[in-house]
Amino acid sequence: MTRFTMAALPSLLLGAAVLLCGGVAPLTAETPAERDARMAWWREARLGMFVHWGLYSGAEGVWDGKQYGGGVEWIQHYAGVPADAYAARMKPLFKPRPGFAREWARLAKEMGASYVVFTSKHHEGFALWDSKVTDFDAKDFTGRDLFKEIVAALRAEGLRVGVYFSVIDWHHPDFLVKGTGLPHPLQKHPEIADPDAGRDWNRYVRFMHQQAEEVASRYGKLDILWWDYSSKETQGDRWRAPELMAMVRRHQPRILMNNRLYHSENVSGDNLSIFDVAKGDFTTPEQHIPATGMPGVDWEACMTLNGTWGWSQHDFNWKSTETLIRNLVDIASKGGNYLINAGPLADGTIPEPIVVRFRELGAWMKQYGAAIRGTTANPVGAVEWGRITAKPDRLYLHVFQWPKDNILTVPLKDWRAVRATMLADPEQVPLAVESADGTAKITLKPAFQNPYASVVEVRVAR
Ligand code: GLC
């Protein structure tokens, strides 16, 4: 055999294996070290910005004069609106301003986020990219490929690009109404005797794969594919998930994917037993922070800023900046990432209550980001006064309750404190530390108190 044909042998064998497995390419075999390298930037990031933006943004949580609560990106389902009527009413309201994506990217950067995950397509089925397999997309009536604009803007700010992709589709005529364990607007119409007549699931799944391939293949390097979501009845093989994930990896070998092509208890509970790397790279507790973290598991807590993902004109229940910062610290101290949501208006503008909070969070991150980014979970045990994050040679003490006598008690296990400073002190003057029996008593400087979380950096050695 010539050199050339020898070199071709592995791919020939792979090709044969693919054929034998019924045309399904196997998931790339990866060593734990390779996986760690692929996950590294994400594990360091700790903070991301989620953006929910689609046609629903124009409804603003109101349909036919009635206000809906909860996540109002679901308004089509809540109000039981058939796909055509929904599209007809929503399209005219969706008018992206030029340059909106740059504002998102700048805000994410200002907030201290390392990545942004945006809804390229939510359950309503409307695609922000120029899809060749449907005309229910932005290009067909705004004349713009909004996906492309967003990706370019994020890249220009040096942010990692995450794409949210809904496998649920209320617009597609083949997506089943009943029996999936998933929502569908026509479920609100019991008068329709057989809403699934003529619907063909396999045809839908083929369409969904085509759309996912458009996203994965056309816009250069993407960093995250954020699938949403599955039920017990409709998950994994029902989506042809192994094949779908293999296709994405073929186009994007370094991409990270969440595990929502499978039903995961972690979305609403903390059951760790079901995490499996074959089903995704990380898991996504939603609207809650796991009580004790998830040791050994990559997780990202996604949360709304008020009570909804998509913009609502009547939800004023905003989390305070203090809550955002303390959630971030809490999550980092448990080894997770925090994905905080913004729901822009239909023209792409991020509303003021969101901007204000993200900027305040950013101001804190600017000063204390070293105590968040690149840190790992608290290695010494819970403390009453706040939270602890760590790097190999140091601990960061995040003080939520400042001690009355200015003396902070810190469990150090078998470490010893080499030097402690207030992270905000420009002079980095060492603090007085007294150590005995695995406990250090550190005298804090009230001048460097921060109302959200004051941070002490302790260099440690064994
Ligand atoms: C849920 C909701 C959805 C939201 C998502 C964010 O799955 O269906 O509206 O986009 O969670 O985590």
Side-chain angles (χ1 to χ4, degrees), residues 385 399 401-409 442 444:
W385 42 256
V399 183
Q401 265 108 45
W402 191 271
K404 287 204 185 66
D405 54 4
N406 296 327
I407 297 175
L408 196 69
T409 305
I442 304 179
L444 308 181

Side-chain angles (χ1 to χ4, degrees), residues 50 52 73-74 122-123 164 226 228-229 260 286 302 309:
F50 212 174
H52 275 70
E73 67 288 348
W74 279 45
H122 206 269
H123 309 335
Y164 168 109
W226 215 99
D228 199 31
Y229 71 80
R260 286 197 182 188
E286 183 173 312
C302 53
W309 303 95

Side-chain angles (χ1 to χ4, degrees), residues 199-434:
R199 292 178 187 256
D200 178 337
W201 183 257
N202 292 331
R203 208 154 56 195
Y204 170 68
V205 173
R206 265 198 309 276
F207 162 82
M208 185 267 279
H209 280 229
Q210 285 172 327
Q211 283 208 314
E213 183 150 24
E214 290 179 336
V215 164
S217 64
R218 285 219 217 121
Y219 298 90
K221 185 171 166 276
L222 304 176
D223 299 294
I224 299 172
L225 222 155
W226 215 99
W227 306 107
D228 199 31
Y229 71 80
S230 299
S231 64
K232 281 207 173 80
E233 300 88 329
T234 306
Q235 58 168 323
D237 290 339
R238 288 289 280 160
W239 305 122
R240 300 194 345 239
E243 186 191 336
L244 184 59
M245 293 170 81
M247 177 276 291
V248 171
R249 291 217 159 93
R250 217 165 39 239
H251 293 291
Q252 304 278 345
R254 309 284 298 171
I255 205 165
L256 313 184
M257 288 185 255
N258 74 0
N259 63 353
R260 286 197 182 188
L261 289 177
Y262 293 84
H263 178 69
S264 164
E265 306 292 343
N266 294 336
V267 171
S268 50
D270 299 347
N271 182 355
L272 311 185
S273 59
I274 45 82
F275 186 74
D276 172 358
V277 289
K279 296 180 176 175
D281 297 308
F282 61 95
T283 196
T284 56
E286 183 173 312
Q287 299 289 39
H288 73 112
I289 302 172
T292 54
M294 298 189 183
V297 171
D298 290 294
W299 59 276
E300 174 196 68
C302 53
M303 289 192 200
T304 50
L305 201 54
N306 48 359
T308 172
W309 303 95
W311 170 248
S312 166
Q313 55 172 254
H314 54 82
D315 182 338
F316 306 107
N317 194 19
W318 301 105
K319 290 186 176 70
S320 66
T321 301
E322 177 181 281
T323 299
L324 293 183
I325 292 173
R326 292 189 175 183
N327 280 352
L328 172 62
V329 170
D330 185 29
I331 289 166
S333 81
K334 293 168 179 170
N337 281 7
Y338 192 16
L339 187 63
I340 312 181
N341 184 67
L345 305 176
D347 71 358
T349 307
I350 299 185
E352 195 61 12
I354 302 176
V355 173
V356 167
R357 284 162 180 79
F358 282 8
R359 288 205 174 127
E360 286 170 356
L361 167 57
W364 187 88
M365 277 296 280
K366 201 160 182 198
Q367 193 155 30
Y368 299 105
I372 299 290
R373 274 191 215 101
T375 63
T376 51
N378 176 350
V380 292
V383 287
E384 279 155 27
W385 42 256
R387 299 286 184 276
I388 299 177
T389 56
K391 283 181 187 166
D393 62 343
R394 63 197 78 188
L395 298 177
Y396 292 101
L397 317 177
H398 300 254
V399 183
F400 295 168
Q401 265 108 45
W402 191 271
K404 287 204 185 66
D405 54 4
N406 296 327
I407 297 175
L408 196 69
T409 305
V410 190
L412 282 183
K413 282 197 171 161
D414 52 349
W415 272 300
R416 101 198 126 70
V418 177
R419 177 190 161 96
T421 55
M422 300 299 302
L423 194 57
D425 177 0
E427 315 281 325
Q428 288 295 290
V429 178
L431 304 172
V433 182
E434 272 178 45

